[in-house]
Amino acid sequence: LRILKDGIVQAAEVVGPWVGGDAPLLDGTTLPFLLQTTEDSKKAAAATRPAIDKDLAARFKSKVLVANGPGAIHIYSKKPIAKVEDFKGVKVRTYGAVGSLGLQALGAAPLTIIAGEVYPSLQRGVADAAAASHSATFGWKLQEVLKYIDLWYIANTFASPMLVVNIDAWNALPADLQKLITDASAKAEEKAWANAIDSDDKALAGLKAGGMEIVQVSEAERNRAAQLSLPVWQDWAKSQGPAAEEFLAAVRKAVGR
């Protein structure tokens, strides 16, 4: 985002949760148990695109062309985690700051571990579980060291990745080219969502083939987790200011949560 602002590049792929310190609204797309399904994520993306573009324009002279996500974040564990109480004391590799706060609210002990260290950390017992998508879990070969796929639908970000363009570069384009790119971006976004879902489905099949077992988590338990996470959402929004509070309100209205 910073090199976009400086015009060093005219467009870039941005992973929202990785740049939450610079662009807080993108971090909000990973608030625990707020966006649980792909449909949630699509609704929230549509409802908040103007606010995100306004924020990125003010901070980094940039705007979003394409946004999509990698699929839902679940828990992958050595022991089944089907109830909120099962999280107590479990050392979970998490996906970011707000994710850590959410898991902590459930009684877990969140850990920050870089991707390359997740497998050995689980193998050595440094961690008991990991919060990730099916695709990431399969890519890291965690089916070799974990047994259960606990379907908690913790988060389903629409900002991982995003294609972001420098506004000056965008404004320099003639109107007909802007329209062509805008139309193509909308089609690319739909295709990216479909590809993410397909990739996630294939990864889940691979995890199951590798010996992992699915643990179905009831809607009632997920709702309990969302209620316990509500203070995390509110504290995040308050700490980031009015734009974040408006963002959270728009997302909650869009998804009815």
Side-chain angles (χ1 to χ4, degrees):
L1 286 175
R2 295 175 189 178
I3 62 174
L4 268 174
K5 179 181 179 180
D6 294 338
I8 296 172
V9 297
Q10 295 176 320
E13 187 175 79
V14 174
V15 178
W18 294 358
V19 295
D22 288 334
L25 294 192
L26 300 187
D27 215 18
T29 68
T30 66
L31 287 168
F33 301 102
L34 178 57
L35 303 177
Q36 297 184 18
T37 68
T38 298
E39 285 308 308
D40 282 348
S41 201
K42 287 183 177 181
K43 290 175 184 176
T48 61
R49 180 70 66 87
I52 288 174
D53 276 345
K54 181 180 178 180
D55 189 62
L56 289 179
R59 294 173 185 271
F60 299 106
K61 295 170 60 178
S62 303
K63 62 172 283 179
V64 177
L65 287 180
V66 178
N68 72 289
I73 302 295
H74 299 289
I75 296 292
Y76 306 83
S77 57
K78 297 177 181 180
K79 296 180 180 180
I81 300 175
K83 298 180 297 184
V84 167
E85 288 78 9
D86 295 336
F87 278 101
K88 187 174 181 180
V90 177
K91 296 174 289 185
V92 184
R93 184 269 181 183
T94 188
Y95 56 86
V98 293
S100 294
L101 292 172
L103 288 169
Q104 200 167 35
L106 303 186
L111 302 171
T112 300
I113 302 172
I114 62 172
E117 292 295 321
V118 175
Y119 186 112
S121 294
L122 290 162
Q123 191 177 43
R124 296 195 302 264
V126 174
D128 305 313
S133 66
H134 295 328
S135 297
T137 302
F138 184 63
W140 296 337
K141 299 183 178 181
L142 299 191
Q143 68 272 23
E144 297 177 0
V145 290
L146 296 174
K147 183 64 178 177
Y148 298 100
I149 304 165
D150 311 296
L151 298 179
W152 277 94
Y153 294 91
I154 296 174
N156 203 313
T157 178
F158 58 80
S160 182
M162 304 177 103
L163 180 61
V164 182
V165 64
N166 175 278
I167 287 177
D168 290 339
W170 177 256
N171 290 339
L173 296 174
D176 59 334
L177 270 182
Q178 288 185 358
K179 184 179 185 308
L180 281 173
I181 294 172
T182 298
D183 292 346
S185 295
K187 293 178 181 178
E189 187 164 298
E190 280 303 311
K191 186 175 181 180
W193 279 114
N195 287 344
I197 292 169
D198 181 62
S199 177
D200 222 37
D201 287 344
K202 289 178 179 176
L204 176 58
L207 293 172
K208 290 164 66 177
M212 295 193 78
E213 299 176 14
I214 288 180
V215 175
Q216 296 288 352
V217 179
S218 71
E219 184 176 358
E221 284 300 310
R222 295 202 308 273
N223 287 338
R224 283 182 67 200
Q227 283 300 310
L228 289 168
S229 298
L230 182 57
V232 175
W233 308 350
Q234 295 168 332
D235 289 347
W236 169 82
K238 185 177 180 180
S239 70
Q240 300 300 332
E245 291 175 323
E246 291 173 11
F247 173 92
L248 177 59
V251 171
R252 293 190 68 182
K253 182 179 179 180
V255 302
R257 186 169 291 118

